[in-house]
Amino acid sequence: MTDRINQTLRGPRYGALLLWAWLSLFVGAVCAEAPRTPVPPAAAIASAHPLATTAGFDILAAGGNAFDAAVAVSAALAVVEPYSSGIGGGGFWLLHRAADGFETMLDGRERAPLAATRTMYLDAKGEVVPDLSMDGALAAGIPGEPAALAHLAEKYGRLPLSQSLAPAIRYAREGFVVDEYYRRLAEFRLDALNKSSEAAQIFLNKGKLPELGYRVLQPDLAVTLEALAREGHAGFYSGEVAKRLIKGVRAAGGIWTAKDLEDYRVVEREPIRGEYHGINITTAAPPSSGGVVLVTMLNILAGYDLAALDDVTRTHVIVEAMRRAYRDRADYLGDPDFVSMPIARLTHPFYAEGLRASIRLDRATPSTDLPGAQPAVDGPHTTHFSILDSEGNRVAATLSINYPFGAAMVVPGTGVLLNDEMDDFSAKPGVPNAYGLVGAEANAIAPGKRMLSSMTPTFMETADRVAILGTPGGSRIISMLLLGGLEFAAGEAPQAWVTRPRFHHQYLPDVIQFEPGAFDALVQEDLNALGHKLSEQSSSYGNMQAVLWEKATGKVDAASDPRGVGSAEVRGVVVPQMLAR
Ligand code: DON
């Protein structure tokens, strides 16, 4: 470099001056680019499966950043957690780039096929046929995850997509071992899986629940992932894979066309932002309802000193905040490319002040006393992971194929397990689906529209502490984020956010759902006395994955929900700066 400069210099004095000017510019630029915040001493990954966490660390060790690791973790989960997410599904990836503080949400949500109609899940009498939006080819939206992974690698990553996909391809080819968690979810979907011979052949053992230790091999999925690795976006959305997808889906009664796949695009959305007692919240934007509902709840609760309240009153005001924020969800929210929404109003502290003014401390507000709306959606599976790299880049991602094993159908010759995310639309405004779920006009089916979601990948940040968190759990995702976030606000460690007992209210049904053991008998009695109806759930719910970086002390911590089989690790993997873009 110095030689090159010297060759261009015309004389020693002029040259020295120029060199001095150049050096000061260079030093100035370096100083100006020096990070304003400290960097973490280690990287952390919390995900719902140990093989996915390992894949993420392998990619960090190979010189990748958090975004490359997110590609690796997403793809690995798509293989080893087939009941939760996959390349036949979609999700939201919330990103924070340390170098310039840039934040965005990658919207890789599924879209309704272009041939979708409002009445596609209704029978001749106009009644909803529930299975149609849950099992088989007609239930599947156009997948977004492959597009999101290609976009993530290309625009934010540092390694080639093929390198970050390599661990997942290996897991697909060499297989992974069935655990108790897998068996529980496969049992739940046994009948549906047996309706697709490809799905049964891959995920079951001769039509039966595979025993513990059974190895699930997905050679076709490995080939499809290789096409994605080789050709990027086009490897999935056009060419041989696309041809097979269209043929297989249509043969099974689906309505996908080549244009659906050609047209699919990831959208970068400005995250929803809020503030709670000095904590900056960055969270999921529509077509997720999660961020708006979370910020509304926190805005309501900002008016109370929660720590000073007794247990029952604290639970009561949290429930009342949930009731009010969830009420708005079904009424207003949908795909921002299709419906206009009063987001600024819903997330404004003044709006929350009005809602708070209607909360009485001595009595529950019956949901029927609030202006009418419909209950929010729920569903039994999905996944989340959180990543922090040693530069301070962050990813919070929640991914889904909706029900366990999605639509329970694998498209022949592709290994692609289809999602049944179409069930997140309201099949008929006001009419509940099989899970008691209904929606409104904003979430009605339309060609090319994204269905409303509750997935809420979130960052919470103060001057000293950064939290990266999220969870599956359908409509309960948002209330889990609230409870986990309040633990963060109270100064607790990630282990407390992910383990704390959970309760939930979603406006309708007008009942507080709670995990076994979340409330003792006395608290239940007192909540009843305030007018709350209680419903103890038969089992626990959620699978939160969380990372904390304490900038002040330099400590990095991570935790994986004990309700799942995931793993959270902190490792001293330093991203080589040489490779930095
Ligand atoms: O996008 C949604 O809101 C749902 N498809 C998520 C489903 C879910 O979280 C199920 N998890 N347990």
Side-chain angles (χ1 to χ4, degrees), residues 488-510:
F488 167 77
E492 297 293 339
Q495 195 60 27
W497 321 342
V498 306
T499 48
R500 68 144 296 148
R502 292 171 177 149
F503 59 89
H504 171 76
H505 195 294
Q506 60 180 40
Y507 170 60
L508 292 175
D510 189 352

Side-chain angles (χ1 to χ4, degrees), residues 2 10 17 56 108 120 192 215 238 257-258 273 284 299 380 392 397 429 451 483 489 503 541 558:
T2 317
R10 298 259 168 76
L17 210 66
M120 64 189 282
R215 196 164 272 276
S238 53
T257 61
R273 294 181 192 277
N299 282 344
M451 54 297 280
L483 298 178
F503 59 89
Y541 59 86

Side-chain angles (χ1 to χ4, degrees), residues 49 79-83 176-189 193 199-200 202-205 208-212 214-218 404-405 565:
H49 199 287
V79 175
V80 303
E81 242 205 330
Y83 41 81
F176 70 92
V177 162
V178 164
D179 56 23
E180 220 21 279
Y181 202 71
Y182 179 103
R183 278 169 54 84
R184 183 146 52 89
L185 294 163
E187 186 170 26
F188 180 71
R189 294 293 269 158
L193 286 166
I202 297 166
F203 299 119
L204 303 176
N205 185 3
K208 300 258 168 19
L209 205 55
E211 60 280 16
L212 279 180
Y214 179 86
R215 196 164 272 276
V216 176
L217 300 168
Q218 300 175 81
F405 292 91
V565 296

Side-chain angles (χ1 to χ4, degrees), residues 35-41 98 389-392 463-464 549-554:
R36 280 170 301 159
T37 48
V39 291
D389 72 16
S390 59
E391 287 172 62
D464 293 340
W549 170 27
E550 291 183 339
K551 289 188 256 178
T553 61

